[in-house]
Short mmCIF file of all heavy atoms in Angstrom, two decimals:
data_model
loop_
_atom_site.label_atom_id
_atom_site.label_comp_id
_atom_site.label_asym_id
_atom_site.label_seq_id
_atom_site.Cartn_x
_atom_site.Cartn_y
_atom_site.Cartn_z
N ALA A 183 0.84 -1.21 0.02
CA ALA A 183 -0.04 0.00 -0.04
C ALA A 183 0.89 1.24 -0.01
O ALA A 183 0.52 2.25 -0.73
CB ALA A 183 -0.99 0.00 1.26
N GLY A 184 1.99 1.25 0.80
CA GLY A 184 2.88 2.40 0.77
C GLY A 184 3.48 2.60 -0.56
O GLY A 184 3.63 3.69 -1.03
N VAL A 185 3.92 1.52 -1.23
CA VAL A 185 4.54 1.52 -2.58
C VAL A 185 3.48 2.20 -3.53
O VAL A 185 3.77 2.95 -4.40
CB VAL A 185 4.97 0.10 -2.98
CG1 VAL A 185 5.47 0.12 -4.39
CG2 VAL A 185 6.13 -0.32 -2.15
N ALA A 186 2.29 1.70 -3.52
CA ALA A 186 1.23 2.12 -4.34
C ALA A 186 1.02 3.67 -4.17
O ALA A 186 0.87 4.41 -5.16
CB ALA A 186 -0.09 1.38 -4.06
N VAL A 187 1.06 4.18 -2.95
CA VAL A 187 0.81 5.60 -2.65
C VAL A 187 1.96 6.37 -3.31
O VAL A 187 1.71 7.38 -4.04
CB VAL A 187 0.67 5.86 -1.13
CG1 VAL A 187 0.79 7.42 -0.90
CG2 VAL A 187 -0.66 5.43 -0.61
N VAL A 188 3.20 5.90 -3.10
CA VAL A 188 4.37 6.60 -3.65
C VAL A 188 4.46 6.68 -5.21
O VAL A 188 4.64 7.72 -5.73
CB VAL A 188 5.66 5.98 -3.08
CG1 VAL A 188 6.93 6.54 -3.76
CG2 VAL A 188 5.87 6.16 -1.56
N LEU A 189 4.12 5.53 -5.67
CA LEU A 189 4.12 5.55 -7.14
C LEU A 189 2.94 6.22 -7.84
O LEU A 189 3.04 6.83 -8.83
CB LEU A 189 4.21 4.06 -7.72
CG LEU A 189 5.54 3.36 -7.67
CD1 LEU A 189 5.54 2.00 -8.07
CD2 LEU A 189 6.54 4.23 -8.43
N SER A 190 1.84 6.28 -7.11
CA SER A 190 0.63 6.98 -7.57
C SER A 190 1.00 8.53 -7.58
O SER A 190 0.77 9.24 -8.55
CB SER A 190 -0.52 6.65 -6.74
OG SER A 190 -1.00 5.34 -6.89
N LEU A 191 1.56 8.95 -6.52
CA LEU A 191 2.06 10.31 -6.47
C LEU A 191 2.91 10.67 -7.55
O LEU A 191 2.93 11.75 -8.15
CB LEU A 191 2.50 10.74 -5.12
CG LEU A 191 1.57 10.76 -3.98
CD1 LEU A 191 2.25 10.96 -2.61
CD2 LEU A 191 0.61 11.94 -4.18
N GLY A 192 3.97 9.80 -7.74
CA GLY A 192 4.94 9.99 -8.82
C GLY A 192 4.34 10.08 -10.19
O GLY A 192 4.69 10.76 -11.00
N ALA A 193 3.43 9.13 -10.37
CA ALA A 193 2.81 9.12 -11.75
C ALA A 193 1.97 10.36 -12.01
O ALA A 193 2.05 10.94 -13.10
CB ALA A 193 1.94 7.86 -11.80
N VAL A 194 1.25 10.84 -10.91
CA VAL A 194 0.41 12.10 -11.09
C VAL A 194 1.34 13.25 -11.32
O VAL A 194 1.01 14.15 -12.18
CB VAL A 194 -0.42 12.25 -9.93
CG1 VAL A 194 -1.10 13.59 -9.85
CG2 VAL A 194 -1.50 11.20 -9.93
N ILE A 195 2.46 13.33 -10.60
CA ILE A 195 3.39 14.53 -10.77
C ILE A 195 4.05 14.41 -12.20
O ILE A 195 4.13 15.48 -12.85
CB ILE A 195 4.49 14.45 -9.63
CG1 ILE A 195 3.77 14.84 -8.33
CG2 ILE A 195 5.56 15.40 -10.02
CD1 ILE A 195 4.63 14.59 -7.18
N THR A 196 4.39 13.29 -12.60
CA THR A 196 5.17 13.10 -13.90
C THR A 196 4.09 13.47 -15.08
O THR A 196 4.48 14.28 -15.91
CB THR A 196 5.55 11.74 -14.08
OG1 THR A 196 6.46 11.41 -13.04
CG2 THR A 196 6.29 11.48 -15.50
N VAL A 197 2.89 12.88 -14.99
CA VAL A 197 1.85 13.31 -16.04
C VAL A 197 1.59 14.78 -15.93
O VAL A 197 1.36 15.40 -17.01
CB VAL A 197 0.68 12.32 -15.86
CG1 VAL A 197 -0.47 12.79 -16.75
CG2 VAL A 197 1.03 10.97 -16.22
N GLY A 198 1.46 15.30 -14.74
CA GLY A 198 1.12 16.69 -14.50
C GLY A 198 2.12 17.57 -15.11
O GLY A 198 1.78 18.71 -15.62
N ALA A 199 3.33 17.22 -15.22
CA ALA A 199 4.47 17.97 -15.83
C ALA A 199 4.26 18.17 -17.33
O ALA A 199 4.52 19.11 -17.97
CB ALA A 199 5.86 17.40 -15.62
N PHE A 200 3.52 17.18 -17.94
CA PHE A 200 3.31 17.32 -19.39
C PHE A 200 1.91 17.81 -19.65
O PHE A 200 1.64 18.53 -20.58
CB PHE A 200 3.42 15.81 -19.97
CG PHE A 200 4.84 15.32 -19.93
CD1 PHE A 200 5.18 14.40 -19.03
CD2 PHE A 200 5.77 15.90 -20.77
CE1 PHE A 200 6.48 13.84 -19.06
CE2 PHE A 200 7.15 15.34 -20.78
CZ PHE A 200 7.43 14.36 -19.88
N LEU A 201 0.93 17.28 -18.83
CA LEU A 201 -0.49 17.69 -19.20
C LEU A 201 -1.27 17.72 -17.82
O LEU A 201 -1.72 16.62 -17.38
CB LEU A 201 -1.17 16.77 -20.21
CG LEU A 201 -2.45 17.11 -20.82
CD1 LEU A 201 -2.43 18.40 -21.52
CD2 LEU A 201 -3.01 16.02 -21.77
N PRO A 202 -1.50 18.89 -17.24
CA PRO A 202 -2.14 18.93 -15.89
C PRO A 202 -3.54 18.35 -15.95
O PRO A 202 -3.91 17.71 -14.97
CB PRO A 202 -2.15 20.47 -15.71
CG PRO A 202 -1.05 21.03 -16.44
CD PRO A 202 -0.94 20.14 -17.72
N SER A 203 -4.32 18.54 -17.04
CA SER A 203 -5.64 17.98 -16.99
C SER A 203 -5.68 16.43 -17.00
O SER A 203 -6.50 15.80 -16.35
CB SER A 203 -6.41 18.53 -18.30
OG SER A 203 -5.83 18.05 -19.41
N ALA A 204 -4.62 15.73 -17.64
CA ALA A 204 -4.51 14.36 -17.69
C ALA A 204 -4.14 13.87 -16.25
O ALA A 204 -4.63 12.87 -15.72
CB ALA A 204 -3.40 13.91 -18.67
N ALA A 205 -3.30 14.71 -15.63
CA ALA A 205 -2.79 14.34 -14.22
C ALA A 205 -4.12 14.38 -13.24
O ALA A 205 -4.20 13.51 -12.35
CB ALA A 205 -1.86 15.30 -13.69
N LEU A 206 -5.05 15.34 -13.42
CA LEU A 206 -6.14 15.35 -12.61
C LEU A 206 -7.08 14.14 -12.89
O LEU A 206 -7.52 13.45 -11.92
CB LEU A 206 -7.05 16.64 -12.94
CG LEU A 206 -8.32 16.87 -12.20
CD1 LEU A 206 -8.01 16.90 -10.71
CD2 LEU A 206 -9.00 17.99 -12.73
N VAL A 207 -7.22 13.77 -14.10
CA VAL A 207 -7.91 12.47 -14.43
C VAL A 207 -7.38 11.31 -13.84
O VAL A 207 -8.06 10.44 -13.31
CB VAL A 207 -8.23 12.37 -15.98
CG1 VAL A 207 -8.76 11.06 -16.33
CG2 VAL A 207 -9.07 13.55 -16.53
N LEU A 208 -5.95 11.18 -13.99
CA LEU A 208 -5.30 10.04 -13.36
C LEU A 208 -5.48 10.05 -11.91
O LEU A 208 -5.67 9.01 -11.36
CB LEU A 208 -3.75 10.14 -13.82
CG LEU A 208 -2.91 9.09 -13.18
CD1 LEU A 208 -3.35 7.74 -13.75
CD2 LEU A 208 -1.45 9.36 -13.62
N ALA A 209 -5.31 11.19 -11.25
CA ALA A 209 -5.51 11.23 -9.76
C ALA A 209 -6.89 10.68 -9.35
O ALA A 209 -7.05 9.98 -8.35
CB ALA A 209 -5.26 12.59 -9.21
N LEU A 210 -7.90 11.19 -10.07
CA LEU A 210 -9.30 10.78 -9.75
C LEU A 210 -9.42 9.21 -9.96
O LEU A 210 -10.07 8.51 -9.16
CB LEU A 210 -10.36 11.51 -10.62
CG LEU A 210 -10.46 12.97 -10.27
CD1 LEU A 210 -11.42 13.76 -11.28
CD2 LEU A 210 -11.08 13.08 -8.84
N CYS A 211 -8.90 8.73 -11.05
CA CYS A 211 -8.98 7.28 -11.37
C CYS A 211 -8.23 6.52 -10.28
O CYS A 211 -8.68 5.45 -9.81
CB CYS A 211 -8.41 7.00 -12.74
SG CYS A 211 -9.46 7.55 -14.12
N LEU A 212 -7.01 6.98 -9.83
CA LEU A 212 -6.29 6.34 -8.80
C LEU A 212 -7.02 6.28 -7.47
O LEU A 212 -7.05 5.37 -6.67
CB LEU A 212 -4.87 6.91 -8.64
CG LEU A 212 -3.92 6.56 -9.84
CD1 LEU A 212 -2.68 7.43 -9.71
CD2 LEU A 212 -3.59 5.14 -9.84
N LEU A 213 -7.68 7.47 -7.19
CA LEU A 213 -8.54 7.46 -5.93
C LEU A 213 -9.69 6.53 -5.95
O LEU A 213 -10.01 5.79 -5.05
CB LEU A 213 -8.98 8.85 -5.75
CG LEU A 213 -8.03 9.88 -5.11
CD1 LEU A 213 -8.64 11.24 -5.10
CD2 LEU A 213 -7.76 9.50 -3.69
N VAL A 214 -10.36 6.44 -7.18
CA VAL A 214 -11.50 5.51 -7.28
C VAL A 214 -10.92 4.01 -7.14
O VAL A 214 -11.49 3.22 -6.41
CB VAL A 214 -12.28 5.65 -8.58
CG1 VAL A 214 -13.15 4.55 -8.82
CG2 VAL A 214 -12.95 7.04 -8.56
N ALA A 215 -9.87 3.78 -7.87
CA ALA A 215 -9.35 2.38 -7.78
C ALA A 215 -8.65 1.96 -6.49
O ALA A 215 -8.79 0.89 -6.10
CB ALA A 215 -8.31 2.19 -8.97
N GLY A 216 -8.05 2.99 -5.84
CA GLY A 216 -7.23 2.65 -4.69
C GLY A 216 -7.95 2.90 -3.42
O GLY A 216 -7.44 2.25 -2.30
N VAL A 217 -8.93 3.78 -3.39
CA VAL A 217 -9.59 4.01 -2.08
C VAL A 217 -11.08 3.77 -2.11
O VAL A 217 -11.52 3.00 -1.25
CB VAL A 217 -9.41 5.59 -1.83
CG1 VAL A 217 -10.05 6.00 -0.47
CG2 VAL A 217 -7.87 5.94 -1.66
N VAL A 218 -11.74 4.26 -3.08
CA VAL A 218 -13.25 4.10 -3.06
C VAL A 218 -13.63 2.60 -3.34
O VAL A 218 -14.44 2.03 -2.57
CB VAL A 218 -13.90 5.05 -4.14
CG1 VAL A 218 -15.34 4.75 -4.24
CG2 VAL A 218 -13.60 6.46 -3.82
N SER A 219 -12.97 1.99 -4.31
CA SER A 219 -13.31 0.57 -4.58
C SER A 219 -13.00 -0.38 -3.38
O SER A 219 -13.91 -1.19 -3.11
CB SER A 219 -12.61 0.18 -5.83
OG SER A 219 -12.80 -1.17 -6.16
N PRO A 220 -11.82 -0.32 -2.85
CA PRO A 220 -11.63 -1.19 -1.66
C PRO A 220 -12.52 -0.91 -0.54
O PRO A 220 -13.00 -1.78 0.19
CB PRO A 220 -10.14 -0.91 -1.28
CG PRO A 220 -9.50 -0.39 -2.47
CD PRO A 220 -10.61 0.43 -3.23
N TRP A 221 -12.88 0.40 -0.27
CA TRP A 221 -13.87 0.72 0.85
C TRP A 221 -15.21 0.08 0.58
O TRP A 221 -15.82 -0.44 1.43
CB TRP A 221 -13.94 2.29 1.01
CG TRP A 221 -14.95 2.68 2.01
CD1 TRP A 221 -14.73 2.60 3.35
CD2 TRP A 221 -16.13 3.20 1.71
NE1 TRP A 221 -15.87 3.10 3.91
CE2 TRP A 221 -16.77 3.54 2.93
CE3 TRP A 221 -16.88 3.55 0.59
CZ2 TRP A 221 -18.09 4.07 3.11
CZ3 TRP A 221 -18.17 4.12 0.72
CH2 TRP A 221 -18.73 4.38 1.90
#
């Protein structure tokens, strides 16, 4: 879980450097897949 959090943040930051709107979509998808769905 710790690894997933670190890599998710890294992925969002990396994508955000190229296209901030895509980073926002990625962050929402990761929240749904990693937090909402398990809950």
Side-chain angles (χ1 to χ4, degrees):
V185 170
V187 167
V188 169
L189 283 179
S190 295
L191 287 173
V194 169
I195 291 168
T196 302
V197 171
F200 295 105
L201 188 61
S203 60
L206 180 63
V207 171
L208 177 61
L210 289 173
C211 289
L212 288 171
L213 278 173
V214 168
V217 177
V218 176
S219 178
W221 176 74

